[in-house]
Structures are given as structure tokens and as C-alpha cells.
Amino acid sequence: MIFDALTIKQANLIEQKRRVAQNSIQKEFETIETTKLQYQVTTKELIVYALTSLGGLGGVVVLFTIWSQVDEMLPKNLKSSFEDFFNHQSVTGLCILFVLTVIVGIFIGFFRIFNRYFNFKIEHQNNHLDISRGFLAHKTMQLKLNRIQTIQLRQTMLRRLVRLVSVNVLLSASQDEKDAQTVLIPVASIDKIMTTLKKVLTSIDFDVDHWQVSNIDKAAWYQVRFSVLRNIFIMTLVISVVMFYFPSMLQRSYMLLFFIIMMVITAILILKNTLTITEQKLGFNQELVYIQRSNGFSKEGYYIRRDKIQGVRESGFITVFRKKALHLDVIVRDGNGHHIIHLRYVPQSTVNHFKQWMNTGL
């Protein structure tokens, strides 16, 4: 139910009635003692987070979108003046205009993130968290702890360089709800993230001490080899199609450019697939499993309670079975659907140990 406009007095009254009704229904559940502020983002961390978000690229896209819409509505004489201005610019002038556009786009992206997460803070209130944020428009939300399915730690390549991490939570939701995923901690130092998580989610034990071997020997080589062979197959297929349908493109300059592009793509794939294996981790305690993997060049970590795991899927070619390994997928709920966490070349002994932990615990 959405109210378009309420007075502060009316909103407070509705909230008071809602809490009274909620407390009367949930008395049988374990309650968390109401405490003061649990987490608040610092201005310094938020500025670094905004600068490393690549939101400026989105800002540039927004600028070009706005310009394309405005350009259609401009009078013909004004439109021709702009076209003459751009046509008479030198290469240096156009480069300067492009750089200025990028700077403005970066500023727009920076302000969007700063405005969204300014004064972001979390407080405990019985069985839910009160999350508030915003600079120009202040927003608050209440997150029920029993809706949390998975806790996701995420680091992009740039944020890994400055040792910052973001924490999201995957939530259970009905078909009518859109907040299947929400930001729990927008930015925190990687050195302090465990302390921050324990402070925000006091009911969860994040101390993982039973670590398992997460990949077999030479797994990185197997992963890179598979990726490179697949890339060679695609390259051969493209060349065959070009030779048959577009023989005029088989000029030396075109072929050289094509091979340079393929070499760059292959180098990126080698780096990406090496990270996929080397950053893979698996460990658990009595009630919680921690899974770490790479998603492209971003590093992701997942804390999942045993009773929140929806399923486990094993797969692999016969060549993988011969190496006594499996590809393991852990399935968790995400909104009204599911989220799959992929692990590659996991030893069969680790998979069996993990399945035993799921069924009986430690």
C-alpha cells in the first residue's frame, strides 16, 4: 500500500500501530534487543566508493540520451548552429569536448551515488533492521531478518585496489515485491568487514574455521585450456563464415586487425579464468557456509545458512570425472526465483564433505 502524501504525525501514528501489531504477533519468535546505531558509512569511504564505481560511464550515457532527446526538439536554425560549431572543430577541439563530457558524466555518476548513500546508517529494532539513507531525498526501509537468504560480499577490480567491499543481501520476496536484493553495507574496509558484519547481524556466527580444498591440482590450467580451445573454435568458425560469405574482407589489414583483437580477447580470458580458480574458496562452521568465487574480474563471497540452501547441483564432462572432480552449483533463493553460485573443478571429496555437512552438520 502506497500513500502519496502524509503528514509526519499521520506517518508516525501508522508506524506506531504497525509495531504494536507486529510485536503482538511475533512474541513466540526470538527477539533481538533494541540497540543504538550499528553501522554508519563515513564520508571518506563514500567518496572513495563513488570514485571507484565507474558511475561516470553511466553519467556520459545519460548526457548523450538527454542530448538526443533535446536535439530533436531544437529549432532548425539553432540545430544548424550546433552542427556548424561541431563541423568546424579541429580534432583537438573535439577531444577537449569529449574529455569535458566525460568529466561532467563522472560528476553526475559521483553525485548519484553520494546522494543515494549519504548518511547511510543501520539500527536494530526488534526483529528487523531500520535502514536510512539519502541526501536530497531521505529514505528509510525496514528489513526483516528472517527474509535474509544470503549475504553477498562484492569487490570490483577498482575497489580491490583500494581495499573496499560492499555487502548485499538476497531476500525472499513474493511475486509482487521488487526488493529481492538490497544493499546492507554500501562500503566498508576489507580489514574491518568481519567486525562490521558481526555488529550489524549479531545473531549470525561468521567465524568460518572448517576450510576445504576448493579445487584440484592444475585446475587453473584446465580452466584456461577449456576457455582458450573454445575461443579458437569460435575464431575458426568466424573465419570460415567470412571466407565463404565475405571473401573481400580477407585482406591482409583486416586479417591482422582480427588476429590482434582475438589475441587481446584471449589474454583477457586467460586472466579471467585464472582468477576464477585461484580465488575460489569453500569453508563452513556449524550452521554457516562461506563460498568465494570470481565473477568476471569482480570477487564475490557468500555467507549462507545451511537451512537457506535450496539445492546443490553437480555436473561435468567425463574428462572432469576422471580427474575425480566436479563442477558444483549451490542454489539459493533470490526474490521469487533463485541465484546459482558456480564452483569449478571441486574435488569429489570436498563435494561429499559439503553434502554431508548439509545433511547432518559438523
Side-chain angles (χ1 to χ4, degrees):
M1 182 179 296
I2 300 174
F3 295 97
D4 293 327
L6 287 175
T7 65
I8 299 297
K9 183 177 180 181
Q10 291 171 331
N12 291 337
L13 179 60
I14 292 174
E15 175 62 13
Q16 180 183 358
K17 297 291 185 181
R18 189 199 64 79
R19 290 185 178 182
V20 171
Q22 184 183 48
N23 291 335
S24 64
I25 294 173
Q26 296 184 348
K27 284 183 179 180
E28 68 273 18
F29 294 103
E30 179 183 1
T31 60
I32 298 175
E33 183 181 355
T34 302
T35 58
K36 294 182 180 180
L37 180 68
Q38 299 299 309
Y39 164 79
Q40 184 169 13
V41 65
T42 65
T43 304
K44 180 180 178 181
E45 289 177 335
L46 184 56
I47 290 175
V48 177
Y49 176 83
L51 291 175
T52 56
S53 67
L54 296 179
L57 299 179
V60 173
V61 173
V62 170
L63 285 177
F64 279 109
T65 302
I66 294 175
W67 170 253
S68 63
Q69 297 297 323
V70 173
D71 183 61
E72 296 177 357
M73 297 183 294
L74 289 176
K76 291 184 178 180
N77 55 348
L78 188 59
K79 187 176 181 179
S80 61
S81 299
F82 277 113
E83 292 177 352
D84 291 338
F85 172 77
F86 285 110
N87 292 333
H88 289 84
Q89 292 296 316
S90 62
V91 175
T92 304
L94 292 176
C95 290
I96 293 174
L97 289 174
F98 177 76
V99 171
L100 291 176
T101 303
V102 172
I103 292 175
V104 174
I106 291 175
F107 176 79
I108 292 174
F110 174 88
F111 182 76
R112 287 176 60 193
I113 292 178
F114 190 85
N115 176 59
R116 181 183 304 167
Y117 297 117
F118 178 78
N119 199 29
F120 188 103
K121 58 183 180 182
I122 300 175
E123 295 178 348
H124 272 302
Q125 183 67 39
N126 295 330
N127 287 316
H128 61 264
L129 300 177
D130 287 335
I131 302 176
S132 59
R133 61 180 175 86
F135 180 63
L136 295 180
H138 186 75
K139 297 182 179 180
T140 59
M141 71 168 290
Q142 293 179 347
L143 174 61
K144 290 185 179 180
L145 295 175
N146 58 10
R147 289 187 60 200
I148 296 177
Q149 303 296 304
T150 304
I151 301 166
Q152 180 195 59
L153 280 62
R154 195 167 190 274
Q155 281 183 294
T156 62
M157 183 62 74
L158 288 177
R159 289 182 189 135
R160 293 169 70 174
L161 297 176
V162 294
R163 298 184 62 79
L164 293 179
V165 62
S166 301
V167 180
N168 302 321
V169 285
L170 304 183
L171 306 175
S172 60
S174 65
Q175 293 181 352
D176 298 330
E177 293 176 316
K178 297 180 180 180
D179 57 340
Q181 182 179 24
T182 189
V183 176
L184 183 66
I185 300 174
V187 54
S189 170
I190 190 64
D191 301 322
K192 300 178 181 178
I193 188 59
M194 294 305 299
T195 304
T196 306
L197 279 174
K198 291 177 181 178
K199 190 176 180 181
V200 173
L201 300 170
T202 56
S203 60
I204 300 178
D205 179 17
F206 291 97
D207 294 325
V208 175
D209 48 11
H210 291 75
W211 292 98
Q212 298 294 306
V213 178
S214 60
N215 54 71
I216 61 175
D217 294 336
K218 300 181 180 179
W221 160 242
Y222 297 141
Q223 178 73 10
V224 169
R225 183 180 64 181
F226 173 78
S227 179
V228 171
L229 289 176
R230 181 177 58 184
N231 198 37
I232 292 175
F233 172 77
I234 295 174
M235 182 174 61
T236 304
L237 181 63
V238 171
I239 292 176
S240 301
V241 172
V242 170
M243 290 177 62
F244 188 79
Y245 291 101
F246 308 100
S248 60
M249 295 186 64
L250 295 177
Q251 299 179 14
R252 186 174 182 179
S253 57
Y254 285 128
M255 294 301 296
L256 180 62
L257 178 61
F258 176 77
F259 279 108
I260 290 175
I261 293 174
M262 293 306 299
M263 290 298 293
V264 172
I265 293 175
T266 301
I268 293 174
L269 287 175
I270 291 174
L271 177 59
K272 172 182 175 294
N273 287 280
T274 302
L275 290 175
T276 298
I277 298 299
T278 56
E279 295 185 337
Q280 188 169 280
K281 287 185 180 180
L282 177 66
F284 43 80
N285 58 25
Q286 187 65 36
E287 294 294 336
L288 196 75
V289 64
Y290 175 74
I291 301 174
Q292 181 176 288
R293 63 183 292 271
S294 287
N295 184 11
F297 292 102
S298 298
K299 185 166 67 174
E300 296 177 346
Y302 296 86
Y303 286 101
I304 316 169
R305 283 179 51 183
R306 182 170 50 199
D307 58 343
K308 300 296 185 181
I309 297 176
Q310 303 296 312
V312 174
R313 183 170 61 201
E314 307 164 17
S315 62
F317 292 111
I318 189 172
T319 54
V320 177
F321 296 148
R322 288 175 178 175
K323 299 177 177 65
K324 295 183 178 180
L326 292 167
H327 300 323
L328 181 66
D329 295 339
V330 180
I331 305 170
V332 295
R333 184 175 178 182
D334 182 13
N336 197 47
H338 64 274
H339 180 87
I340 301 177
I341 305 168
H342 304 281
L343 297 176
R344 306 282 292 176
Y345 295 100
V346 183
Q348 288 183 350
S349 58
T350 297
V351 175
N352 294 334
H353 201 163
F354 175 64
K355 290 163 64 177
Q356 180 184 1
W357 169 82
M358 281 185 56
N359 295 326
T360 61
L362 295 177

